[in-house]
Amino acid sequence: AQSVTQPDIHITVSEGASLELRCNYSYGATPYLFWYVQSPGQGLQLLLKYFSGDTLVQGIKGFEAEFKRSQSSFNLRKPSVHWSDAAEYFCAVAARGSARQLTFGSGTQLTVLP
Amino acid sequence: DVKVTQSSRYLVKRTGEKVFLECVQDMDHENMFWYRQDPGLGLRLIYFSYDVKMKEKGDIPEGYSVSREKKERFSLILESASTNQTSMYLCASSFNRGGADTQYFGPGTRLTVL
């Protein structure tokens, strides 16, 4: 079975600084990979996803993520963080084949300082 | 615009009560999911359905059941609520195109069992 690890429970950055959120997955082949964001009191919104092809994926709100097969990682990045980016971020993985189910990481809470 | 709605944002119930959580999607999606979200644990899959009247257990089905009588509606049932079922419950839906299509989430129901 697949699994996802988000090693950082909480990250604090200053507004305008760059951001990288880490995600490592465990799966025997190349999975489908997702990043979701959850603002306070809201459901989850998809930021970006990787299915195949170019390993650098662009998403909404200026986010990008890079799939690195050798490191089993799918880290999320943003060059300049805005105060509105404060939220909880979830990485998720789905196995190829019967790929309806997502396995989520435990989340990273992002705080943005003014 | 994509829409997944959940019947209540907040719900307070007593131990032993039967609880119904309703989810409706207007996107003609085949797949529907119920997750619970707890701090530090991320989202865990309770049940999912890939067709009307079909259901499959997720990772933590104990104490829950589901019903899907119509394509757009997926209900989560707590037969006899217990305090350890106090949590945020999130519903999601997706197309079934043979791969891991994007899941769209509702705003969540925060359930408190006293």
Side-chain angles (χ1 to χ4, degrees):
Chain A
Q2 64 271 23
S3 66
V4 179
T5 301
Q6 293 181 247
D8 303 306
I9 297 172
H10 195 179
I11 283 184
T12 300
V13 299
S14 297
E15 192 169 17
S18 63
L19 173 69
E20 183 169 28
L21 302 183
R22 296 184 290 165
C23 172
N24 293 97
Y25 68 89
S26 174
Y27 181 61
T30 302
Y32 299 106
L33 294 161
F34 304 79
W35 274 100
Y36 282 85
V37 61
Q38 185 180 33
S39 298
Q42 304 295 316
L44 274 69
Q45 180 184 22
L46 180 71
L47 283 175
L48 48 80
K49 59 187 177 184
Y50 172 78
F51 284 2
S52 65
D54 192 347
T55 57
L56 184 62
V57 181
Q58 301 297 321
I60 62 171
K61 304 185 180 187
F63 286 92
E64 67 178 26
E66 186 171 12
F67 169 59
K68 292 186 177 180
R69 184 193 310 273
S70 61
Q71 298 176 19
S72 297
S73 69
F74 188 56
N75 294 348
L76 182 71
R77 301 193 295 248
K78 186 170 185 178
S80 178
V81 170
H82 188 263
W83 64 266
S84 61
D85 293 324
E88 190 157 22
Y89 292 80
F90 292 95
C91 182
V93 62
R96 292 181 183 262
S98 58
R100 301 185 183 100
Q101 301 177 60
L102 292 180
T103 299
F104 284 85
S106 55
T108 297
Q109 183 69 47
L110 174 66
T111 296
V112 180
L113 300 177
Chain B
D1 197 17
V2 166
K3 194 108 177 174
V4 179
T5 57
Q6 296 183 228
S7 50
S8 305
R9 293 299 301 271
Y10 300 93
L11 209 53
V12 179
K13 296 292 182 181
R14 298 216 171 264
T15 302
E17 280 192 80
K18 190 168 186 177
V19 182
F20 291 87
L21 302 182
E22 302 283 335
C23 175
V24 177
Q25 51 94 4
D26 66 357
M27 296 163 285
D28 202 34
H29 284 167
E30 294 86 4
N31 302 330
M32 296 189 75
F33 307 83
W34 275 106
Y35 296 89
R36 66 175 282 175
Q37 181 181 12
D38 300 288
L41 297 178
L43 278 73
R44 293 177 292 166
L45 183 64
I46 304 171
Y47 268 97
F48 67 101
S49 167
Y50 52 88
D51 202 352
V52 176
K53 296 190 185 296
M54 304 300 290
K55 61 185 180 184
E56 288 196 25
K57 294 179 180 179
D59 299 320
I60 53 165
E62 296 79 17
Y64 303 94
S65 62
V66 290
S67 173
R68 193 167 181 201
E69 297 296 320
K70 294 184 177 182
K71 188 176 185 180
E72 68 272 16
R73 189 179 297 270
F74 193 35
S75 302
L76 180 69
I77 304 157
L78 288 65
E79 294 288 342
S80 178
S82 64
T83 55
N84 63 11
Q85 292 178 309
T86 292
S87 186
M88 171 72 91
Y89 290 87
L90 291 166
C91 175
S93 68
S94 70
F95 284 116
N96 180 10
R97 295 175 177 161
D101 216 318
T102 301
Q103 290 188 20
Y104 295 89
F105 284 81
T109 295
R110 186 165 293 282
L111 173 67
T112 301
V113 182
L114 301 175

